[in-house]
Amino acid sequence: MRDLLIRLDQRVTDGFATINQRLDAFDRRAETLDARVTALETAEVKRAGELAGAQRLGSYLKIAVTALVAVVGYLGYQIELAPRSDRVVSKTVIQTPSRS
């Protein structure tokens, strides 16, 4: 009877050891998953902030380019396209020697 109790005690001890090993493995796995989820959440928050900054920069850039196009267009119209009525066309012809 004593041998049976010793074997039973050993089996119970081994069973609890196995259960404790499995629980430790589950805990390590849960900690690893928690760390990965935390890293992903942090990256998502950072990415959202960077995206908002990029959109803000894009809107500023769009305004700047529009203003530059408007200024260049206005100056181009004033300088080049608007005819001047007091312009005098020269009728002097200069003869240049040929290169032959």
Side-chain angles (χ1 to χ4, degrees), residues 3-66:
D3 290 337
L4 288 173
L5 287 175
I6 290 173
R7 283 194 297 183
L8 181 62
D9 183 50
Q10 186 63 40
R11 287 180 117 181
V12 169
T13 304
D14 292 344
F16 278 119
T18 304
I19 290 172
N20 286 334
Q21 287 175 351
R22 285 184 183 172
L23 288 176
D24 289 340
F26 289 150
D27 286 343
R28 283 192 302 273
R29 184 187 230 179
E31 288 171 1
T32 303
L33 286 174
D34 187 40
R36 289 173 58 192
V37 167
T38 303
L40 288 172
E41 288 172 346
T42 304
E44 182 67 28
V45 168
K46 184 179 177 185
R47 189 177 309 120
E50 290 172 351
L51 180 62
Q55 287 175 341
R56 193 173 326 126
L57 179 64
S59 67
Y60 292 150
L61 186 61
K62 189 186 307 181
I63 291 169
V65 167
T66 303

Side-chain angles (χ1 to χ4, degrees), residues 91-97:
K91 294 184 177 160
T92 307
V93 178
I94 299 174
Q95 297 291 332
T96 57

Side-chain angles (χ1 to χ4, degrees), residues 75-87:
L75 291 177
Y77 177 76
Q78 291 294 320
I79 294 171
E80 188 68 29
L81 298 178
R84 291 180 54 187
S85 59
D86 59 343
R87 182 177 297 172

